[in-house]
Amino acid sequence: GAGVSQSPSNKVTEKGKDVELRCDPISGHTALYWYRQSLGQGLEFLIYFQGNSAPDKSGLPSDRFSAERTGGSVSTLTIQRTQQEDSAVYLCASGYRDGAFYGYTFGSGTRLTVV
Amino acid sequence: AQSVTQLDSQVPVFEEAPVELRCNYSSSVSVYLFWYVQYPNQGLQLLLKYLSGSTLVESINGFEAEFNKSQTSFHLRKPSVHISDTAEYFCAVDSGNTPLVFGKGTRLSVIA
């Protein structure tokens, strides 16, 4: 597609429930990032996928968080047993490497509210 | 590990005045540098980037940033700001081998 698409745009969930957030990167982009942005905070790195390499999961805050990227394209971020501190905007970005890198394009984000 | 420091969390400035948003980074390797802008209730948009070549880069809306390797800085400037420039600005650095790292952001408020 023309841009990075994230769904849903808003998600309200009850504490303890699992949620899945989806990211459709720009077609052909090999690199994909997940970040989260809490109210009044900066951007916190979560996980990074680059081509067929093992993902960099060093930013995941706990084992309740996981992400996968199927077929080198769509990515899903899963949060299990959500807590109120998980409330944030979750941002996905994609970029193209392997000799052609022009920066990263961000999606509009998923606003997650845990009640 | 690389890091990005945006020294000013908030910058108020009058309309048509010049502005500089400061960004310093730490990295032991060559880097790519970015400025992203986030308008109220919107997502992040790439404002400008330094990948290689000329150290002065410009955006289409009058912003410019200069990569200074000796000072490890990538300050963002605009000679005359508009009300519409009110937004949060994030500096980011990418060394190619580690995740894209962002500063904590600078909230630019343009006052009429």
Side-chain angles (χ1 to χ4, degrees):
Chain A
V4 177
S5 178
Q6 291 187 246
S7 60
S9 54
N10 282 283
K11 176 72 176 179
V12 180
T13 190
E14 291 181 353
K15 178 181 174 181
K17 300 283 190 182
D18 297 351
V19 294
E20 284 190 352
L21 312 180
R22 177 187 169 103
C23 173
D24 281 276
I26 292 173
S27 179
H29 278 188
T30 58
L32 187 148
Y33 282 101
W34 282 98
Y35 287 85
R36 73 176 175 182
Q37 185 177 27
S38 303
L39 187 63
Q41 302 296 313
L43 288 100
E44 177 186 5
F45 164 73
L46 297 177
I47 188 168
Y48 170 49
F49 296 90
Q50 173 56 278
N52 295 320
S53 302
D56 180 345
K57 304 179 181 179
S58 60
L60 296 178
S62 76
D63 58 7
R64 296 187 295 105
F65 288 73
S66 62
E68 62 178 22
R69 189 177 184 193
T70 54
S73 181
V74 172
S75 177
T76 303
L77 177 68
T78 301
I79 308 173
Q80 296 178 310
R81 304 181 303 282
T82 52
Q83 303 295 313
Q84 288 186 329
E85 62 262 28
D86 299 334
S87 296
V89 177
Y90 289 80
L91 296 167
C92 175
S94 73
Y96 180 61
R97 289 218 184 234
D98 300 329
F101 176 61
Y102 304 105
Y104 293 93
T105 301
F106 279 81
S108 297
T110 294
R111 182 176 298 277
L112 175 66
T113 304
V114 182
V115 298
Chain B
Q2 60 196 22
S3 65
V4 178
T5 302
Q6 291 183 245
L7 292 168
D8 306 302
S9 59
Q10 297 189 60
V11 174
V13 62
F14 286 104
E15 192 174 18
E16 298 184 4
V19 70
E20 177 179 82
L21 307 183
R22 295 178 291 172
C23 173
N24 288 86
Y25 68 92
S26 66
S27 177
S28 59
V29 298
S30 298
V31 296
Y32 303 128
L33 295 158
F34 307 89
W35 276 99
Y36 284 86
V37 58
Q38 188 173 34
Y39 297 104
N41 300 313
Q42 295 188 27
L44 281 165
Q45 301 175 33
L46 181 64
L47 184 61
L48 45 75
K49 59 182 181 283
Y50 169 78
L51 303 181
S52 64
S54 173
T55 57
L56 183 65
V57 291
E58 299 177 350
S59 72
I60 59 173
N61 58 353
F63 282 94
E64 64 178 30
E66 185 161 20
F67 168 51
N68 187 319
K69 187 174 182 179
S70 63
Q71 297 185 4
T72 59
S73 68
F74 191 56
H75 301 330
L76 181 70
R77 302 183 183 94
K78 189 170 185 179
S80 176
V81 294
H82 301 130
I83 293 289
S84 59
D85 293 324
T86 294
E88 187 138 20
Y89 292 80
F90 293 93
C91 182
V93 61
D94 184 337
S95 68
N97 296 318
T98 57
L100 184 64
V101 175
F102 284 85
K104 293 190 180 297
T106 297
R107 186 173 299 277
L108 175 64
S109 299
V110 180
I111 305 162

